[in-house]
Amino acid sequence: ESSRLHVGKLGTRHRSVSNNPPRRSLVGDCDVAPAAGARAAFAGNTTGSRRRNVERLTATMRFLHLVRPVMGLLPEVVHPDRKIPFREKLLWTVVTLFIYLVSCQIPIYGIKTAKSNDPFYWMRVILASNRGTLMELGISPIITSGMVMQLLAGARLIEVNQSLKEDRALFAAAQKLFGILITVGEAIAYVGSGMYGQLGELGLGNSVLIVSQLVFA
């Protein structure tokens, strides 16, 4: 009878074990799979963001980073290390305007003067230029370069992050370099159009001298 009771208890235990489903392990496949999927999704998002950042840096490098070799050759105003009083600012402004006005009265050397109407008279009023003087081009190269660079940045044709100090410095250097190129182009166009006389009458030496004066002024 005792043996029957023992066998009955074993059968009852076996049925209870077989009826109860196995407990799911915390490190089983069913628990690890969602975590692995989340890690894979996070890695994918991180990789995508890194790829976009690399593409943006590459686009920036294609244009702005080309200015780095010539940044040391471009004119630059050093940021003051102290607070400039208003009177000193006003003094330097007056001195700068005086130099500009004097340059507007210095004629270009080597040109052939001709008494004719000035087709750019009203434009000279806006661009602060004076015909036949060192300030022949006025402020047109500076304004043109600034407008073109701002349009390129606004249209996202070049990538510029204004929150970064390096990008701001490169963008300012690019504006200066583009302004110099515009100045050279306008000076050559003025001389080549015969505004200062026919090229045959001026000669190669005078033509180069006139272009140099306009560029350096």
Side-chain angles (χ1 to χ4, degrees):
E1 185 177 357
S2 61
S3 62
R4 290 180 180 178
L5 291 174
H6 181 68
V7 172
K9 290 179 179 180
L10 291 177
T12 304
R13 288 182 180 178
H14 179 72
R15 285 194 300 270
S16 64
V17 171
S18 61
N19 292 332
N20 293 331
R23 295 183 180 179
R24 185 176 296 176
S25 176
L26 294 178
V27 294
D29 295 338
C30 296
D31 295 328
V32 173
R39 287 196 297 269
F42 178 74
N45 294 333
T46 306
T47 305
S49 61
R50 288 179 180 176
R51 187 178 301 170
R52 288 191 295 270
N53 291 334
V54 170
E55 291 177 356
R56 290 178 180 177
L57 290 176
T58 304
T60 305
M61 187 180 301
R62 290 175 183 173
F63 185 80
L64 289 183
H65 290 185
L66 298 176
V67 188
R68 282 181 175 177
V70 296
M71 283 187 66
L73 303 176
L74 297 175
E76 183 179 2
V77 178
V78 181
H79 189 74
D81 55 354
R82 60 183 179 86
K83 184 177 180 181
I84 308 281
F86 177 75
R87 290 184 178 179
E88 187 173 350
K89 291 180 181 180
L90 183 61
L91 175 62
W92 283 110
T93 303
V94 172
V95 171
T96 305
L97 289 175
F98 178 76
I99 294 174
Y100 191 90
L101 291 175
V102 170
S103 299
C104 288
Q105 303 302 322
I106 300 177
I108 299 174
Y109 177 79
I111 63 175
K112 302 293 183 179
T113 58
K115 296 181 179 179
S116 60
N117 295 328
D118 187 5
F120 302 112
Y121 175 77
W122 295 108
M123 186 180 295
R124 296 183 190 281
V125 175
I126 299 173
L127 299 178
S129 65
N130 193 13
R131 185 181 183 183
T133 64
L134 294 179
M135 293 294 108
E136 175 79 52
L137 303 180
I139 59 176
S140 61
I142 300 174
I143 294 177
T144 306
S145 63
M147 291 176 61
V148 171
M149 293 298 297
Q150 291 293 337
L151 287 174
L152 292 177
R156 300 295 180 88
L157 296 178
I158 58 174
E159 192 72 25
V160 182
N161 189 357
Q162 296 292 346
S163 62
L164 297 178
K165 183 179 180 181
E166 183 181 6
D167 277 17
R168 291 197 303 269
L170 290 174
F171 188 73
Q175 282 185 341
K176 295 174 185 178
L177 180 60
F178 195 50
I180 293 174
L181 295 178
I182 291 176
T183 303
V184 175
E186 287 186 358
I188 294 175
Y190 272 49
V191 175
S193 63
M195 182 173 290
Y196 305 120
Q198 299 299 323
L199 292 177
E201 298 177 0
L202 292 175
L204 180 61
N206 277 344
S207 300
V208 174
L209 182 60
I210 294 171
V211 171
S212 302
Q213 292 178 79
L214 293 175
V215 171
F216 284 102

